[in-house]
Amino acid sequence: MMIFQTNDLGLLVGCDEEIGKEMRMTDTAKFRILVTGGAGFIGSHLCDRLVQKGHRLICVDNLYSGKLGNIRALMNHPRFEFIEHDVTEPLAIKGSLHRIYNLACPASPPHYQRDPIATIKTCVLGAHNLLALAHEKHARILQASTSEVYGDPKVHPQPETYVGHVNSIGPRACYDEGKRCAETMFFDYHRRYGVPIKVARIFNTYGPRMLENDGRVVSNFTVQALKGEPLTIYGDGTQTRSFCYVDDLLNGLELLMDSDSEVTGPCNLGNPKEESIKEIARMILRQTNSRSRLEHRPLPQDDPKRRRPAIDRARTLLGWSPRVALKDGLQWTIDYFVLKLFTGRPVSRRIQVTLPGSAVRVALGARSGRMSM
């Protein structure tokens, strides 16, 4: 295990309920927070945000799909510590710990299917080890679950009360059933030991720091369009997804973590606006001015036909709903991939990037926070 430590700072001490009361009384109270999967797409953005808010942060990642480049800007920060560790093994943390965000697990099909046994171990053993740590430290813990717990749903849109339609022996089951089992363990720890839990069911999320080879719709189409390659659509393209920009998701995760102790979830976090895969492809082609064509391939086994969250619970309990328009979020994501693929470094002036079959104008410097690599 490799550990990168910083100088110790004063810590807020107390159990979860005491900390919650202090946090409501003063804006200056800060937490010591653990984020697993913190070098990944969503996790690294969460690390950025929590450090910027003054919290002391421990980032844990085994770098299976996470990248050190995502957290490089934090590595010398006095309130940031990185631990390279696999959550399938118990994790020892010295000192107080107030909150845990469990985001550890590859979330795209090519990555979680590459080693399905490792995936299910990460979901189940990882949940067990982190819940045990939360119990030991009297820490509040949030599980990043997924819309995949609904499988190929027979109910639309999907409310949290829907128990799902999942093939337990299919190629996606290592992730789908792994996350379902993790939810079970979270609620059993809560009922038996009183561990303060939060369970978020995350729907399709996109934005800067997605991996260009992660097999997800937005990253796949964006990279293919920028390179002038065919956009690969699985099936006829009429299947739907609901796309939530990463900033909106982070707002939801923080609101859920900060919510009253009786709000355990599960809570859907996603955009209730439904889009077909074919329309997403066309939007990206328009926004990149790409001449790439659409190429249809067979639909993978157990791929959901429709996916859209019912977010009444998030609206009522958290006051949360997504705000970033899809067109804007896609443009910020396209801007990121232009830098990632064709410049390799940030610049501070407006440039014209012309590629085979595409011409993309990128306003650089205006959204430095969203463009960080």
Side-chain angles (χ1 to χ4, degrees):
M1 181 168 66
M2 296 175 61
I3 303 178
F4 299 79
Q5 294 181 315
T6 59
N7 293 330
D8 198 18
L9 298 175
L11 301 174
L12 179 65
V13 180
C15 71
D16 181 77
E17 290 303 315
E18 292 170 345
I19 294 167
K21 291 176 184 176
E22 290 187 39
M23 196 63 171
R24 285 189 288 271
M25 288 189 295
T26 173
D27 292 332
T28 61
K30 302 301 177 186
F31 292 153
R32 190 173 188 228
I33 301 175
L34 174 69
V35 177
T36 66
F41 159 46
I42 296 172
S44 63
H45 284 288
L46 180 61
C47 288
D48 285 349
R49 181 177 289 209
L50 294 174
V51 168
Q52 288 167 9
K53 289 186 175 182
H55 299 295
R56 179 170 168 81
L57 196 71
I58 304 170
C59 170
V60 173
D61 205 299
N62 69 352
L63 303 179
Y64 179 79
S65 57
K67 301 295 181 185
L68 282 177
N70 289 337
I71 56 171
R72 184 171 290 117
L74 296 173
M75 292 298 279
N76 291 322
H77 197 286
R79 292 194 306 274
F80 182 82
E81 175 182 344
F82 173 67
I83 302 175
E84 184 176 345
H85 179 80
D86 192 321
V87 296
T88 61
E89 300 293 334
L91 177 63
I93 299 293
K94 293 182 180 179
S96 300
L97 192 63
H98 307 120
R99 293 186 168 183
I100 301 171
Y101 287 86
N102 181 27
L103 278 66
C105 191
S108 66
H111 292 156
Y112 69 65
Q113 290 176 352
R114 188 167 68 199
D115 191 343
I117 295 172
T119 295
I120 199 165
K121 287 172 67 178
T122 299
C123 291
V124 180
L125 296 180
H128 171 67
N129 290 329
L130 292 166
L131 283 161
L133 181 62
H135 183 42
E136 173 195 344
K137 300 291 186 180
H138 305 286
R140 179 177 290 197
I141 182 169
L142 182 146
Q143 166 69 2
S145 191
T146 173
S147 60
E148 297 296 334
V149 300
Y150 299 120
D152 189 4
K154 301 297 184 183
V155 173
H156 192 79
Q158 295 81 57
E160 292 89 347
T161 52
Y162 177 52
V163 297
H165 178 243
V166 177
N167 177 6
S168 64
I169 61 172
R172 301 169 68 99
C174 59
Y175 186 69
D176 302 0
E177 296 287 25
K179 290 288 190 177
R180 286 164 67 94
C181 186
E183 287 193 11
T184 301
M185 194 173 297
F186 262 68
F187 279 91
D188 283 339
Y189 259 83
H190 176 64
R191 285 186 286 259
R192 181 160 186 178
Y193 301 116
V195 173
I197 65 165
K198 308 288 180 178
V199 175
R201 289 177 178 167
I202 299 173
F203 283 66
N204 293 68
T205 304
Y206 70 100
R209 296 185 190 164
M210 297 182 80
L211 295 174
E212 59 265 33
N213 63 344
D214 69 1
R216 301 188 211 191
V217 172
V218 171
S219 52
N220 264 16
F221 287 170
T222 300
V223 170
Q224 289 167 342
L226 290 173
K227 290 183 175 180
E229 299 172 351
L231 273 61
T232 52
I233 295 179
Y234 295 93
D236 60 8
T238 59
Q239 66 270 35
T240 66
R241 296 292 183 270
S242 302
F243 295 93
C244 183
Y245 190 69
V246 63
D247 285 5
D248 281 331
L249 174 68
L250 294 177
N251 292 338
L253 291 177
E254 286 192 279
L255 286 168
L256 181 58
M257 179 64 95
D258 292 340
S259 62
D260 291 338
S261 58
E262 62 268 20
V263 180
T264 58
C267 186
N268 287 341
L269 294 177
N271 195 327
K273 191 174 187 303
E274 194 175 2
E275 303 283 352
S276 73
I277 298 300
K278 188 177 291 185
E279 179 54 29
I280 292 293
R282 290 169 176 161
M283 287 181 68
I284 290 174
L285 288 175
R286 287 194 296 269
Q287 289 185 231
T288 58
N289 196 28
S290 174
R291 297 176 184 175
S292 295
R293 60 185 177 84
L294 304 183
E295 183 178 279
H296 291 267
R297 296 183 182 178
L299 193 68
Q301 182 181 340
D302 301 326
D303 192 65
K305 308 300 185 301
R306 301 188 74 183
R307 184 61 59 75
R308 177 180 141 202
I311 63 168
D312 297 22
R313 186 174 291 184
R315 284 194 175 110
T316 302
L317 298 178
L318 308 180
W320 178 87
S321 60
R323 297 182 178 183
V324 176
L326 180 59
K327 182 179 179 181
D328 292 335
L330 286 178
Q331 190 59 58
W332 296 329
T333 307
I334 291 166
D335 291 352
Y336 167 79
F337 276 114
V338 168
L339 288 179
K340 178 80 171 174
L341 296 173
F342 303 109
T343 70
R345 64 186 187 279
V347 294
S348 58
R349 59 187 176 83
R350 192 176 183 89
I351 63 171
Q352 176 81 25
V353 178
T354 304
L355 307 167
S358 66
V360 184
R361 182 171 296 279
V362 185
L364 300 173
R367 306 187 192 95
S368 58
R370 301 185 191 276
M371 297 292 292
S372 56
M373 299 177 65

